Amino acid sequence: MLRAMNEANSDVWTGGLTNDLSQVLLSEAQIAARVGQLGRQLAADYVEKDPLLVGILSGSFPFIADLVRAMNLALEVDFMAVSSYGDRTSSSGVVRILKDLNTSIAGRHVIVVEDIVDTGLTLHYLYENLRTRQPASLKVCALLDKREARKREVEVDYVGFHCPNEFVVGYGLDYRGRYRNLPFIGVLRPEVYRKAE
Ligand code: PRP
């Protein structure tokens, strides 16, 4: 698998970061194809609605960048940064807003863009927080949905892929701030995060 991964991604991705992965879960091509589909679906659903896409930093940055470029309609983008995990590998349930929106969402059609919904704690908090600001509509688009890990029931309206209950990194997803720049999504070897615990 690793050999296939390295061949598929040329010299740039041999060794180094990829040695820490046990497998490729989603290739660059698979991600691009699905993000294109999601973008076209959203564009069709939001015709003449001037949607505001809210990217949740930091993990969503590659996803939202690709998603909006697949949406052929007028839209706006804003960002929020929240902290839930710190440097740990499991959720504490504590969510803090580190950076709020620059714009009011009252009366706007809002789409929250997440890289992954895991326990659902972050999204539950965000959804309730944004709902009080009286948007015209509030939907959620997540690239990965790790349903098995849910602690809070949350609705994800647009899902890229269902995600197995593994520690995944790449395409914005990190472990201790690293691996976000991988153009594909892979499974982190347990020994990488276990040795740091
Ligand atoms: C990740 C992800 C979601 C959240 C999902 O962010 O981007 O915001 O965790 O997990 P949950 O469903 O268990 O709440 P993280 O806090 O790791 O920050 P990051 O995006 O900066 O990596």
Side-chain angles (χ1 to χ4, degrees), residues 40 50 85-86 153 170 172 188:
R40 288 190 292 277
D50 189 23
Y85 285 13
E153 220 25 71
L188 195 62

Side-chain angles (χ1 to χ4, degrees), residues 56-60 82-86 91 114-123 172-174 180:
I56 310 305
L57 296 171
S58 299
S60 70
V82 297
S83 162
S84 54
Y85 285 13
S91 179
E114 268 285 23
D115 50 347
I116 187 166
V117 180
D118 198 320
T119 63
L121 294 169
T122 305
L123 185 57
L173 293 147
D174 75 310
R180 294 193 201 273

Side-chain angles (χ1 to χ4, degrees), residues 50-65:
D50 189 23
L52 176 70
L53 280 83
V54 173
I56 310 305
L57 296 171
S58 299
S60 70
F61 77 88
F63 178 39
I64 195 168

Side-chain angles (χ1 to χ4, degrees), residues 4 21 26 28 32 54 60 96 104 117 120 122 132 138 140 161 172:
L21 307 181
L26 296 163
E28 199 173 347
V54 173
S60 70
R96 274 189 306 141
S104 164
V117 180
T122 305
T132 64
L138 182 57
V140 176
F161 301 94

